[in-house]
Amino acid sequence: MARTTGSTGVKTKETIRRAAIKRIYQHGFEAMKLRDLADDVGIQAGSLYNYIKYKEDFLYLLLKDVLVELLDGLAKEVEGPETPLAALEAFIAFHLRWHTARREEVFIGNMELRSLSPSHSAEIVGLRETYEKKLRDILEWGNKDKVWKVRDPKVTTYAIIAMLTGVCTWYKPRGRLSQEQLIEVYRELVLRGIGLLKK
């Protein structure tokens, strides 16, 4: 790929980011060579070091940026609802929309956590736990208001997030179900699972 004439540092950085996501998704982080990444972007390998000092730091920043964006997006979606049910439905819809749109980043986040240093891994796990706590808080809110009766909100949080995130392994934008239809299917599954919908 030839570098675009007159491209700015910001554009180049984003181009590197997108190329790295694609390469890590296809080949894995350990197999990614910076020289190959430079070729993908159309810059000299030496120039790449203006943007990536250390390979592991790049992965850490990539995963951190994704999770910060995830948390920011979630905050906008679930701060408004005034009932536990509305908040839960907003969480389900947001999670599915975001994760089906960012499948490559989600895959990398799940598979490449092992490639981070212990300190970086701990920080990424902490951000994940912050996200999980948003859902756990909603479930506990529903328990408190007697909207539902979830025996173990923490375990239920893990189960719901695992189920919702699993969509990334098979979802295709041009598949049989639209995104909104998919959200409705998963909404029903979650609400049935916590006892709000009967068979």
Side-chain angles (χ1 to χ4, degrees):
M1 174 193 292
R3 183 175 175 181
T4 303
T5 302
S7 62
T8 65
V10 173
K11 283 185 178 179
T12 302
K13 184 176 181 179
E14 181 57 24
T15 302
I16 291 169
R17 182 177 184 271
R18 296 307 312 168
I21 288 170
K22 183 176 181 180
R23 185 165 282 279
I24 296 169
Y25 179 74
Q26 293 177 341
H27 305 289
F29 176 72
E30 295 301 332
M32 183 182 78
K33 301 290 188 288
L34 294 184
R35 183 174 298 278
D36 292 334
L37 181 58
D39 288 342
D40 291 342
V41 178
I43 61 177
Q44 296 295 319
S47 299
L48 193 63
Y49 290 97
N50 293 325
Y51 303 92
I52 302 175
K53 296 297 183 184
Y54 303 101
K55 186 178 165 184
E56 191 269 342
D57 280 350
F58 177 75
L59 178 64
Y60 155 70
L61 291 173
L62 172 63
L63 297 184
K64 182 178 179 180
D65 287 348
V66 168
L67 282 166
V68 168
E69 290 172 22
L70 177 68
L71 287 167
D72 288 346
L74 180 65
K76 294 173 184 175
E77 293 292 324
V78 301
E79 293 298 326
E82 297 181 355
T83 67
L85 177 57
L88 179 59
E89 290 174 331
F91 183 95
I92 293 166
F94 168 78
H95 189 97
L96 289 171
R97 287 193 187 103
W98 200 93
H99 282 71
T100 52
R102 310 284 289 274
R103 289 185 303 153
E104 292 180 346
E105 289 98 320
V106 173
F107 177 84
I108 292 169
N110 289 333
M111 295 302 296
E112 298 297 350
L113 191 63
R114 62 192 174 184
S115 299
L116 293 177
S117 67
S119 61
H120 284 164
S121 179
E123 185 174 349
I124 297 303
V125 169
L127 289 171
R128 284 184 174 185
E129 289 173 348
T130 299
Y131 184 78
E132 292 162 359
K133 187 176 183 301
K134 297 288 187 181
L135 177 55
R136 190 167 72 248
D137 288 347
I138 292 170
L139 295 176
E140 290 172 348
W141 179 17
N143 276 352
K144 181 181 176 182
D145 286 6
K146 302 189 185 325
V147 176
W148 50 65
K149 188 176 181 180
V150 172
R151 182 187 305 177
D152 191 320
K154 187 172 184 178
V155 171
T156 304
T157 292
Y158 293 151
I160 291 173
I161 288 179
M163 179 175 69
L164 296 178
T165 304
V167 72
C168 295
T169 63
W170 58 265
Y171 174 75
K172 290 181 174 57
R174 297 179 183 176
R176 181 171 56 86
L177 296 178
S178 69
Q179 193 176 64
E180 291 309 309
Q181 289 172 319
L182 189 67
I183 289 169
E184 183 55 31
V185 169
Y186 274 85
R187 172 188 170 277
E188 181 178 331
L189 286 170
V190 172
L191 298 187
R192 194 181 301 282
I194 62 174
L196 285 190
L197 295 179
K198 303 301 179 183
K199 293 182 179 179

